[in-house]
């Protein structure tokens, strides 16, 4: 008994000592742990920037969705024994049923009463409601009295939306996150969304959350660190050209059950990519932008013959009037036979050999002049930058391969096969860069997809055209290459002649057809890649374009002129028609007018000046006594510039909001027809023309 008593005393002393140790020595630590269990910080996502086309159309934007919670223990909701709740629950239930139409008013009333009775602290009431539904909710009985009195709490989440759907989907990209097996957030963005992710996503904020129930936390008022929203991106994409490219490509792919295809349109003088369509066939036979084929390297085939001719002409090895024996379309070199797609005969000029796309002709010329000095030929390809990435602002570009004689894969037949686009790997975009350089008087431009980055409507960074190579060849060689490309589409024996016969504009280009390897099966499946690269109009090039299509195995039709050529032609036809109509409509007298698309905002000068002062923005002001003003950016700084208004002339309302435009026009007694939403993009009557009372003026908003 005595020993038992001693044991109890000793045990009690140990427990007491442990308690004192925990309280005095470890007390601070455990208090901090307890406090951490009661409150925590969570990140507030920044609003992701919007991606726009060159004309201001939204290509990818964030749409807010809202999660709605109710704190049924909110002090204002339960005051006076819940009188506020009882007085509003019926009218609120009716409003909820009318708005959401997923429950009856009685069901909503029961749901709210159950939550009130159970004293739920953070009850999830609605998930992912739209902004319009959120606005309606905030005006409902009880809810409109505010968070403290109603208990209604909202949480906003952004969802990424591509308003044009398929249009340039892979290039614009997707903004996607997922949680991996370790609980870490991973990013699977592609396209511009990935390349410019750090710019678009901004900087997250923080919010202090307080524990209100087991596993439930509510935000603490006044404890937020606001996020810094992402910047906007203005791309070089032209929505109309992109739409034309995708429709033309889709038509060919569907008609021929092709595996995939890509079509690229570049502005000759600048290197701006105006359209980049990528379509791949899915298991159900439909097509989607599943991969960016424009930047994936493959054996280009006959479009590469332009590079071969450049090397031969630049080294003055040949002239176009020389003759070459095509050997009836088959020629054996070092134990391997080069074949033409058809029998082109025997004795033809070098110009004709190129226009007919003879593999034999290219291989014989290269072996004649470079077999003992292959490095000289390869060096030309490197000067054309085929061994380098294009530099376009897209991640995921595959590595180009240009063999050199010291490579282990170099063989006795590498040189002749390279001459007509085999045993090299280059992307469609790289091929287009060379054709664009020939169209641009020899100047090779860096391709790019982003014009500018904007923050709060002002340009913070602007990309300018960049010259990669001032001249890919001599002026003499350039003239001959332009002659060759024009001959392909204009001479009767050219492989592109039938495509453009009778067209109201001229085209320069080159067809291509190459047999593609299919993994371990090699070339046994007879899968061909069809291509067409060129530019138009030939005498004053505005656009360069390449179309590359991979056909299905054993396709009955696969030549470049039959598969890729029609896509190129439809693009050229429609762009020619659009630009001809635009020139006639916008510039009937040949007068170049100032483009107003760079204006950010427009309206009454007093309002604009007040906005600048309120935002505490430094700005230049040359408005003077003008009644109306515009704001635009110069060297990234806002500038206000006035415009006089006379009731005798139609004013320039482009860039204005609808309210200002209507006020100005209707005060002049014009009849205004409004189309669209946003700021005024176009007006039907040119600014500065004589105004007639009751004149109808249509304004397009965007």
């Amino acid at each position: 008994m005595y020993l038992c008593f001693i044991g109890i005393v000793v045990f009690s002393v140990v427990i007491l000592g442990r308690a004192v140790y925990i309280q005095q020595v470890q007390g601070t630590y455990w208090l901090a742990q307890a406090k951490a269990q009661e409150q925590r910080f969570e990140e507030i996502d920044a609003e992701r920037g919007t991606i726009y086309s060159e004309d201001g159309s939204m290509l990818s934007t964030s749409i807010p969705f809202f999660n709605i919670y109710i704190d049924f223990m909110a002090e204002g909701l339960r005051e006076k024994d819940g009188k506020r709740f009882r007085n509003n629950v019926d009218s609120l239930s009716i409003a909820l049923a009318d708005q959401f139409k997923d429950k009856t008013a009685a069901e909503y009333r029961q749901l709210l009463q159950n939550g009130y009775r159970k004293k739920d602290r953070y009850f999830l009431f609605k998930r992912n409601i739209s902004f319009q539904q959120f606005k309606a909710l905030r005006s409902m009985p009880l809810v409109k009295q505010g968070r403290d009195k109603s208990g209604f709490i909202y949480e906003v989440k952004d969802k990424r939306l591509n308003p044009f759907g398929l249009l340039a989907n892979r290039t614009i990209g997707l903004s996607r996150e997922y949680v991996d097996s370790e609980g870490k957030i991973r990013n699977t963005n592609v396209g511009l969304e990935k390349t410019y992710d750090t710019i678009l996503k901004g900087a997250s904020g923080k919010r202090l959350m307080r524990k209100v129930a087991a596993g439930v936390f509510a935000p603490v008022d006044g404890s937020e660190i606001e996020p810094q929203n992402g910047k906007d991106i203005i791309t070089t994409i032209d929505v109309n050209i992109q739409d034309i490219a995708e429709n033309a490509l889709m038509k060919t792919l569907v008609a021929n059950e092709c595996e995939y295809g890509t079509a690229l349109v570049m502005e000759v003088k600048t290197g701006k990519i105006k359209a980049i369509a990528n379509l791949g066939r899915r298991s159900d036979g439909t097509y989607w932008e599943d991969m960016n084929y424009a930047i994936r390297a493959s054996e280009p085939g006959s479009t590469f013959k332009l590079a071969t001719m450049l090397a031969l002409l630049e080294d003055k090895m040949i002239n176009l009037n020389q003759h070459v024996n095509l050997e009836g379309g088959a020629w054996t070199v070092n134990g391997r036979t080069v074949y033409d797609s058809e029998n082109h005969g025997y004795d033809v000029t070098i110009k004709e050999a190129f226009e007919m796309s003879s593999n034999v002709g290219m291989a014989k010329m290269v072996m004649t002049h470079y077999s003992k000095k292959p490095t000289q030929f390869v060096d030309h390809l490197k000067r054309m930058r085929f061994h380098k990435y294009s530099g376009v602002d897209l991640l995921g570009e595959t590595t180009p391969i240009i063999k050199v004689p010291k490579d282990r894969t170099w063989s006795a037949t590498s040189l002749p096969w390279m001459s007509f686009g085999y045993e090299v790997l280059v992307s469609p975009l790289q091929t287009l860069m060379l054709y664009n350089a020939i169209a641009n008087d020899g100047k090779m431009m860096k391709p790019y997809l982003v014009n500018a980055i904007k923050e709060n409507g002002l340009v913070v960074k602007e990309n300018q055209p960049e010259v990669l190579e001032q001249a890919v060849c001599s002026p003499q060689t350039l003239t001959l290459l332009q002659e060759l490309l024009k001959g392909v589409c204009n001479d009767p024996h050219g492989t592109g002649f039938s495509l453009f016969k009778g067209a109201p504009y001229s085209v320069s280009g080159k067809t291509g057809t190459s047999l593609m390897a299919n993994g371990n099966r090699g070339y046994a499946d007879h899968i061909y890649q069809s291509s067409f690269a060129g530019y138009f109009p030939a005498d004053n090039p505005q656009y360069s374009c390449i179309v590359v299509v991979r056909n299905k195995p054993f396709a009955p039709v696969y030549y470049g002129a039959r598969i890729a050529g029609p896509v190129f032609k439809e693009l050229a036809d429609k762009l020619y028609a659009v630009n001809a109509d635009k020139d006639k409509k916008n510039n009937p007298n040949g007068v170049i007018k100032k483009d107003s698309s760079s204006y950010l905002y427009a309206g009454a000068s007093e309002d604009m000046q007040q906005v600048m002062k309120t935002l505490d923005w430094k700005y230049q002001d040359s408005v003077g006594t003008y009644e109306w003003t515009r704001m635009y950016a110069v060297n990234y700084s806002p500038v206000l510039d006035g415009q006089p208004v006379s009731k005798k002339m139609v004013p320039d309302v482009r860039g204005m909001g609808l309210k200002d435009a209507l006020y100005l026009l209707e005060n002049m007694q014009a009849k205004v027809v409004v189309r669209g939403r946003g700021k005024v993009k176009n007006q039907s009557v040119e600014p500065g023309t004589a105004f007639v009372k009751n004149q109808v003026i249509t304004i397009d908003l965007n």
Side-chain angles (χ1 to χ4, degrees):
M1 190 72 176
Y2 177 75
L3 291 175
C4 182
F5 174 75
I6 294 297
I8 292 173
V9 170
V10 171
F11 181 72
S12 299
V13 170
V14 171
I15 294 297
L16 181 62
R18 182 62 178 168
V20 171
Y21 175 78
I22 290 173
Q23 183 177 12
Q24 298 299 321
V25 180
Q26 294 185 317
T28 302
Y29 169 78
W30 288 112
L31 283 171
Q33 289 296 307
K35 190 173 182 179
Q37 297 295 324
E38 295 294 326
Q39 62 185 34
R40 68 187 185 197
F41 277 100
E42 71 172 23
E43 285 196 348
I44 306 173
D45 292 336
E47 183 179 329
R48 193 171 180 86
T50 296
I51 300 177
Y52 293 93
S53 66
E54 192 165 47
D55 69 351
S57 300
M58 286 184 182
L59 297 176
S60 182
T61 190
S62 294
I63 302 296
F65 285 83
F66 300 83
N67 295 332
I68 307 300
Y69 299 86
I70 305 176
D71 179 5
F72 284 107
M73 287 297 290
E75 185 176 339
L77 185 63
R78 305 192 75 87
E79 67 181 10
K80 297 182 181 180
D81 295 326
K83 183 178 180 180
R84 177 176 283 111
F85 177 78
R86 291 195 303 274
N87 288 347
N88 287 278
V89 66
D90 289 333
S91 55
L92 174 59
S93 298
I94 293 170
L96 289 168
D98 183 59
Q99 173 64 39
F100 294 104
K101 304 186 188 314
D102 58 342
K103 292 181 177 65
T104 65
E107 288 172 332
Y108 269 116
R109 186 177 189 277
Q110 186 65 46
L111 179 68
L112 293 168
Q113 286 181 327
N114 288 343
Y116 186 83
R117 191 180 306 112
K118 293 178 182 178
K119 300 180 180 180
D120 279 334
R121 292 304 310 265
Y122 208 48
F123 175 72
L124 178 58
F125 181 65
K126 288 287 180 186
R127 185 188 296 275
N128 289 333
I129 67 173
S130 69
F131 179 66
Q132 294 300 324
Q133 292 172 321
F134 175 66
K135 282 176 60 180
L137 178 66
R138 292 180 66 181
S139 65
M140 290 180 185
L142 186 61
V143 184
K144 64 183 179 182
Q145 297 184 39
R147 169 177 168 173
D148 292 337
K149 294 181 179 180
S150 69
F152 276 77
I153 305 166
Y154 72 89
E155 177 184 54
V156 61
K157 295 287 186 181
D158 285 337
K159 287 188 177 181
R160 208 63 173 164
L161 175 70
N162 291 21
F164 287 97
L166 178 64
L167 196 77
N169 184 266
R170 188 72 187 187
T171 300
I172 299 307
L174 305 170
S175 176
R176 301 174 297 191
E177 289 183 345
Y178 70 97
V179 179
D180 66 12
S181 58
E182 299 177 357
K184 295 181 180 178
I185 296 177
R186 301 294 185 185
N187 188 294
T188 57
N189 294 352
V190 296
L192 292 175
E193 292 276 13
K194 182 174 184 178
T195 305
Y196 290 91
D197 181 58
T198 55
I199 290 170
L200 287 164
K201 73 179 181 182
S204 299
K206 288 187 180 297
R207 177 194 290 127
L208 182 62
M209 304 291 288
R210 176 173 53 85
K211 187 176 182 180
V212 294
V216 178
F217 287 78
V220 177
D221 285 340
S223 65
E224 293 183 0
I225 300 173
E226 291 293 329
Q228 182 180 342
N229 291 335
K231 298 177 180 65
D232 297 331
I233 286 176
I234 313 300
T235 71
T236 61
I237 295 291
D238 183 303
V239 172
N240 291 327
I241 300 177
Q242 180 72 33
D243 188 48
I244 293 169
E246 290 193 356
N247 285 328
L249 183 62
M250 179 75 80
K251 192 184 302 180
T252 284
L253 296 182
V254 170
N256 296 280
E257 299 180 344
C258 304
E259 290 188 9
Y260 60 75
T262 183
L264 277 142
V265 181
M266 186 184 291
E267 195 172 75
V268 168
K269 300 299 181 186
T270 63
K272 290 182 181 182
I273 295 176
K274 309 305 294 180
I276 178 169
N278 294 282
L279 296 172
R281 196 168 196 260
R282 299 190 286 190
S283 57
D284 62 357
T286 61
Y287 289 88
W288 192 254
E289 288 233 352
D290 59 343
M291 190 174 292
N292 206 324
Y293 302 105
I295 56 175
R296 295 183 66 82
S298 63
E299 290 179 312
S302 294
T303 54
F304 198 75
K305 291 172 183 173
L306 179 65
T308 298
M309 293 301 294
L310 188 153
L312 289 162
L313 290 168
E314 191 71 353
D315 286 338
K316 296 181 171 48
M317 303 288 194
I318 60 169
N319 69 68
L320 299 187
N321 294 320
Q322 279 180 243
H323 284 244
V324 58
N325 185 352
L326 301 186
E327 309 289 347
W331 179 62
T332 301
V333 53
N334 294 332
R336 191 177 176 189
T337 303
V338 178
Y339 292 100
D340 281 343
S341 59
E342 57 185 271
N343 186 345
H344 292 132
Y346 292 85
D347 187 51
V348 300
T349 65
I350 289 175
K351 183 175 185 293
E352 290 170 335
F354 180 83
E355 292 171 353
M356 293 186 296
S357 198
S358 169
N359 295 338
V360 172
M362 295 300 115
K364 289 186 76 173
M365 285 188 288
V366 165
M367 287 303 288
T368 298
H369 299 290
Y370 293 112
S371 60
K372 295 182 179 179
K373 44 186 175 183
T375 300
Q376 185 174 337
F377 177 75
V378 172
D379 285 345
H380 278 290
L381 302 182
K382 289 183 176 180
R383 280 193 287 273
M384 291 176 242
R385 304 178 72 91
F386 280 121
H387 66 305
K388 296 182 178 181
Y389 293 108
S390 70
V392 70
D393 35 2
L394 283 174
L395 300 176
E397 190 172 2
T398 56
T399 305
I401 295 177
I402 296 295
K403 287 184 178 181
V404 296
K406 63 181 180 181
D407 288 342
R408 287 185 300 173
T409 56
W410 185 273
S411 70
T413 57
S414 289
L415 187 62
W417 256 254
M418 288 171 69
S419 73
F420 51 91
Y422 286 82
E423 296 201 29
V424 295
L425 295 178
V426 298
S427 70
L429 179 55
Q430 287 177 288
T431 302
L432 182 60
M433 288 168 65
L434 175 61
Y435 280 77
N436 193 81
I438 302 306
N440 195 27
D441 292 330
K443 191 180 295 183
M444 181 176 281
M445 307 303 296
K446 179 180 178 180
Y448 66 104
L449 272 159
V450 171
N451 275 321
I453 297 169
K454 285 187 174 183
E455 185 173 22
N456 298 321
L458 291 176
V459 174
V460 294
K461 182 181 179 183
E462 191 169 12
N463 292 328
Q464 298 294 338
E466 181 180 339
V467 179
L468 295 178
E469 297 291 339
Q470 197 65 39
V472 294
C473 60
S474 67
Q476 295 80 9
T477 298
L478 178 68
T479 300
L480 296 173
L481 293 175
Q482 291 172 340
E483 180 184 341
L484 286 171
L485 292 174
K486 194 171 183 179
V488 170
C489 301
N490 292 275
D491 289 347
H493 52 255
T495 54
F497 177 74
S498 60
L499 276 170
F500 300 101
K501 183 179 180 181
Y505 57 91
S506 57
V507 173
S508 293
K510 180 73 185 72
T511 59
T513 309
S514 54
L515 184 62
M516 306 296 291
N518 188 18
N520 294 331
R521 292 183 57 80
Y523 298 97
D525 290 336
H526 291 268
I527 298 174
Y528 286 89
Q529 180 170 281
S530 310
S531 54
F532 194 104
Y535 51 86
F536 52 90
D539 299 322
N540 182 26
Q542 300 299 310
Y543 299 107
S544 61
C545 176
I546 188 169
V547 179
V548 177
V549 174
R550 183 179 174 115
N551 297 279
K552 67 179 181 179
F554 300 100
V557 179
Y558 54 83
Y559 288 125
R562 297 282 302 276
I563 299 295
V567 180
F568 186 103
K569 185 178 187 300
E570 185 170 338
L571 263 163
D573 284 348
K574 291 185 176 179
L575 284 177
Y576 174 80
V578 166
N579 287 310
D581 182 63
K582 187 187 298 182
D583 290 343
K584 185 176 180 180
K585 181 178 179 181
N586 294 341
N587 201 7
N589 301 316
V591 178
I592 298 175
K593 295 181 174 64
K594 180 176 175 61
D595 181 14
S596 66
S597 64
S598 61
Y599 290 119
L600 301 171
Y601 305 104
S605 58
E606 295 85 354
D607 294 342
M608 299 291 288
Q609 290 162 346
Q610 184 60 44
V611 168
M612 294 293 99
K613 291 174 183 176
T614 302
L615 294 174
D616 196 24
W617 280 1
K618 295 180 181 179
Y619 65 95
Q620 301 175 43
D621 189 353
S622 60
V623 177
T625 58
Y626 293 112
E627 186 179 356
W628 297 88
T629 185
R630 297 180 183 279
M631 183 175 79
Y632 58 97
V634 174
N635 293 328
Y636 311 144
S637 297
V639 173
L640 299 187
D641 187 24
Q643 62 163 328
V645 176
S646 166
K647 290 193 175 183
K648 295 181 180 180
M649 293 188 301
V650 175
D652 188 354
V653 297
R654 292 172 296 182
M656 292 186 183
L658 179 59
K659 181 180 176 182
D660 283 333
L662 286 177
Y663 178 84
L664 183 56
L665 293 172
E666 290 181 347
N667 272 352
M668 297 178 66
Q669 297 185 331
K671 293 183 178 179
V672 185
V673 177
V674 180
R675 297 188 300 205
R677 307 169 82 176
K679 293 189 299 181
V680 179
K681 181 183 178 184
N682 296 310
Q683 59 187 84
S684 62
V685 182
E686 283 290 330
T689 56
F691 176 75
V692 180
K693 187 177 178 180
N694 294 323
Q695 184 173 7
V696 177
I697 299 177
T698 301
I699 57 176
D700 294 315
L701 310 181
N702 183 22

